[in-house]
Amino acid sequence: MADKVPPSFDRKNAGSQGFNPGLIVLLVVGGLLLTFLIGNYVLYMYAQKTIAPRKKKPISKKKMKKERLRQGVSAPGE
């Protein structure tokens, strides 16, 4: 009876069956997700270095008052 063991349960052939298909799908999806996240991080770092945030020049109160008077809007308190 010991001679009639199906080949799928034979210990000699256990390692030669290949990977589990679920494991392959998990590895592929995980690899794609990891690649996407790393790519986003690299692009973010590149954008931070190359595209500097634009800073607006501070406008003095005197210039603001002058501009309002030029447009015909009276400044508050006058």
Side-chain angles (χ1 to χ4, degrees):
M1 255 194 170
D3 297 345
K4 298 183 180 182
V5 177
S8 61
F9 293 112
D10 194 5
R11 287 188 166 217
K12 294 179 211 169
N13 295 332
S16 65
Q17 288 181 2
F19 290 107
N20 184 1
L23 180 65
I24 293 173
V25 170
L26 184 67
L27 288 174
V28 168
V29 170
L32 289 173
L33 183 65
L34 192 64
T35 304
F36 176 74
L37 292 174
I38 291 172
N40 273 347
Y41 180 73
V42 169
L43 283 174
Y44 173 76
M45 293 306 290
Y46 174 74
Q48 289 296 316
K49 287 180 184 176
T50 56
I51 304 171
R54 294 184 182 182
K55 295 181 180 177
K56 293 183 179 178
K57 288 184 178 179
I59 302 171
S60 67
K61 290 181 182 179
K62 193 174 182 181
K63 281 186 179 180
M64 204 179 325
K65 211 181 246 189
K66 197 174 188 182
E67 185 67 27
R68 283 185 185 163
L69 286 173
R70 198 173 65 143
Q71 291 179 356
V73 178
S74 62
E78 290 184 355

